[in-house]
Amino acid sequence: MSDFTSQLQMLLANDPEYRAAYERTWDVLTDAETRAQSTIDALEAQLERDEAALEALTRSAASLPDGTKVFRAADGSLKTQEGTDVSHLSDHVVWRGDEPSWEDYRDQQARTENLRGDLDAWRYYQVETLGHARDRLSDEDNPPSVEELDEIQRDIEAKMPQAPEPTEPAEAADIAVSPAAKIEIPAI
């Protein structure tokens, strides 16, 4: 190892099979890192939109005298943001007529929570799987074996989270005024 400063350099210079496996693993890693960062960026942007839509729904909701936000459900009951039935307090609510329904709020809340979960999964993958792979490939004094390089590639592929389906957050203007079905107006 006199001409080489590390075990990795020696392997790369003298073992073409190792060099090919090592370069292939770096390619898989860099492709996965690019995809992960792109997905994380898109999820963060979507989460920002979904959180804004959820906040708009909350602001548009009716309120009890103490400020608690309430939504009317399709069955006519009155629910708080947490889903507590407060129908017995309906006489204390002033309705404007354009409040979002409980179902609109609940659906947007679920979309937002699912998106947070997707984002967390991708961040975990980026740090734990890809970060570990990068650390192993960068270890010049104790480089991974060809078998470990294959294992790293398999881990990168197998542990990659599913790409979430894009969803559009509910917009306050698109929320149904009542539990009745929306009426589609054809364009002229």
Side-chain angles (χ1 to χ4, degrees):
M1 195 165 89
S2 60
D3 292 339
F4 304 104
T5 59
S6 72
Q7 182 70 25
L8 179 61
Q9 285 180 346
M10 186 179 76
L11 282 169
L12 292 174
N14 295 317
D15 187 342
E17 179 187 337
Y18 185 85
R19 182 181 196 88
Y22 185 82
E23 289 174 354
R24 192 172 44 252
T25 305
W26 267 109
D27 289 345
V28 169
L29 175 61
T30 55
D31 288 348
E33 286 174 330
T34 300
R35 180 172 179 189
Q37 190 58 56
S38 175
T39 301
I40 288 168
D41 291 346
L43 287 170
E44 286 174 339
Q46 182 67 44
L47 181 59
E48 189 175 315
R49 290 189 298 272
D50 276 39
E51 286 175 337
L54 187 61
E55 179 60 31
L57 288 172
T58 303
R59 280 193 316 272
S60 299
S63 298
L64 291 173
D66 69 356
T68 301
K69 295 295 187 174
V70 293
F71 304 86
R72 187 172 307 281
D75 66 2
S77 65
L78 200 61
K79 309 253 187 206
T80 65
Q81 288 175 265
E82 296 78 23
T84 305
D85 189 323
V86 291
S87 298
H88 63 284
L89 299 175
S90 63
D91 290 345
H92 301 285
V93 178
V94 177
W95 296 98
R96 296 180 315 274
D98 63 347
E99 294 86 358
S101 71
W102 164 246
E103 291 77 13
D104 291 331
Y105 178 79
R106 183 196 60 214
D107 292 348
Q108 183 60 42
Q109 187 178 43
R111 274 192 299 274
T112 303
E113 285 305 311
N114 289 338
L115 198 55
R116 282 187 190 117
D118 291 341
L119 183 56
D120 288 346
W122 277 94
R123 286 176 176 158
Y124 182 85
Y125 170 74
Q126 184 181 48
V127 171
E128 292 300 318
T129 302
L130 302 181
H132 175 72
R134 181 169 283 281
D135 288 346
R136 280 302 291 135
L137 291 174
S138 300
D139 189 342
E140 293 193 12
D141 296 323
N142 182 25
S145 65
V146 172
E147 294 78 20
E148 190 179 353
L149 291 172
D150 291 340
E151 185 179 321
I152 290 170
Q153 289 177 49
R154 283 191 302 274
D155 271 1
I156 289 170
E157 301 288 331
K159 293 180 180 178
M160 183 180 288
Q162 291 282 51
E165 293 296 320
T167 60
E168 289 300 316
E171 297 292 333
D174 295 336
I175 303 303
V177 173
S178 70
K182 282 188 173 181
I183 300 171
E184 296 295 324
I185 301 173
I188 299 178

